[in-house]
Amino acid sequence: VEAMGTVDEKKAVTVVNSVLHTLQDETVDVETVQEVIETALMKHKEFKVAKAYILYRSRRQEFRQAREK
């Protein structure tokens, strides 16, 4: 998890473990994984990172839609 250019590895591992615990042995699509990541970031109070991730996903979706036209 990154804030101000630094990575807090302990928090990053905590978020990753939360995502893995949520998904466990499920087979899911990319969209579901991304939503679980967003939720885990917010659950662990990484609001700035969650917002940046949400905005990144939105920009990527806009890019894909524009490319399809």
Side-chain angles (χ1 to χ4, degrees), residues 8-9 22 27 43:
D8 183 334
E9 289 186 34
T22 300
T27 301
K43 175 182 173 183

Side-chain angles (χ1 to χ4, degrees), residues 2 4 7-8 10 12 17 30 44-45 52 59 61 66-67:
E2 185 173 341
M4 306 301 277
V7 176
D8 183 334
K10 185 176 179 182
N17 287 336
V30 172
H44 294 285
K45 301 184 182 349
R59 285 191 301 268
Q61 182 179 18
R67 193 173 59 189

Side-chain angles (χ1 to χ4, degrees), residues 6 15 27 39 41 59:
T6 62
V15 171
T27 301
T39 301
L41 287 167
R59 285 191 301 268

Side-chain angles (χ1 to χ4, degrees), residues 14-49:
T14 300
V15 171
V16 168
N17 287 336
S18 179
V19 170
L20 293 174
H21 177 74
T22 300
L23 296 176
Q24 296 213 345
D25 295 324
E26 294 183 47
T27 301
V28 296
D29 59 17
V30 172
E31 186 77 19
T32 300
V33 173
Q34 292 173 336
E35 290 170 4
V36 170
I37 292 169
E38 287 177 14
T39 301
L41 287 167
M42 290 184 279
K43 175 182 173 183
H44 294 285
K45 301 184 182 349
E46 294 296 331
F47 301 114
K48 288 182 181 180
V49 177

